[in-house]
Amino acid sequence: MKTIELNLTVNNHARTFRIAPGDLLLDVLRREGYFGVKRGCETGECGACTVLLDGKPVNSCLVFAAQAEGRAVETVEALAQNGQLHPLQEAFLDHGAVQCGFCTPGMLLSAKALLARNPDPTEEQVREAMAGHLCRCTGYKKQVEAVLALAAARKEARS
Ligand code: FES
Ligand code: FES
């Protein structure tokens, strides 16, 4: 089988993978051990496979790995640092927004991207950012509350 070299950064580390031209980003990331990238519907419906590509959420089941050449990929594994959960992870836990956790990595990454471009979102904007994620356990209220609470706490800290 023909393979090609893929050069990219994953979670700020330069990586080189050998891939088949038709490999999906979801498959390559999981093959390389990024198991926080979840395999759900594989049709772009559930959001479980979400990663950030140059800071923007994408469904990695719909992206060829080769499209990530020279680009920056971020997975949920990048969020906790030095054994400390990311504030979004803390907020999700504090608000009971995690049950089985299958949807959680994707939701956290979409929330992170939202707060990076809009640190003070309205509830409507948070709901819109989360719209591509299906959760079979908690519903959606708690995740939205968690994101709004973190945004409010950060706003308070800035003032
Ligand atoms: S696995 Fe990619 S959107 Fe469901
Ligand atoms: S916490 Fe189980 S699918 Fe969302």
Side-chain angles (χ1 to χ4, degrees), residues 41-65:
C41 64
E42 299 182 89
T43 56
E45 299 290 329
C46 74
C49 65
T50 297
V51 300
L52 301 185
L53 188 57
D54 292 338
K56 295 203 178 103
V58 296
N59 291 324
S60 62
C61 69
L62 298 183
V63 176
F64 288 118

Side-chain angles (χ1 to χ4, degrees), residues 10-11 29 34-37 50-52 73-80 105 109 112:
V10 183
N11 301 337
L29 290 170
Y34 299 96
F35 298 117
V37 187
T50 297
V51 300
L52 301 185
V73 170
E74 188 173 340
T75 73
V76 75
E77 282 87 352
L79 293 191
L109 290 168
K112 181 170 186 268

Side-chain angles (χ1 to χ4, degrees), residues 81-142:
Q81 293 287 328
N82 303 319
Q84 292 279 346
L85 291 179
H86 186 280
L88 267 170
Q89 292 171 308
E90 296 279 10
F92 268 48
L93 288 177
D94 289 348
H95 287 79
V98 181
Q99 284 188 31
C100 80
F102 195 78
C103 67
T104 308
M107 283 204 181
L108 287 167
L109 290 168
S110 285
K112 181 170 186 268
L114 170 68
L115 294 182
R117 68 175 187 275
N118 179 3
D120 190 17
T122 62
E123 178 174 340
E124 186 64 30
Q125 288 167 330
V126 177
R127 288 190 178 279
E128 198 174 306
M130 297 301 205
H133 297 275
L134 299 184
C135 175
R136 293 189 182 276
C137 304
T138 65
Y140 303 95
K141 192 164 178 278
K142 292 171 179 178

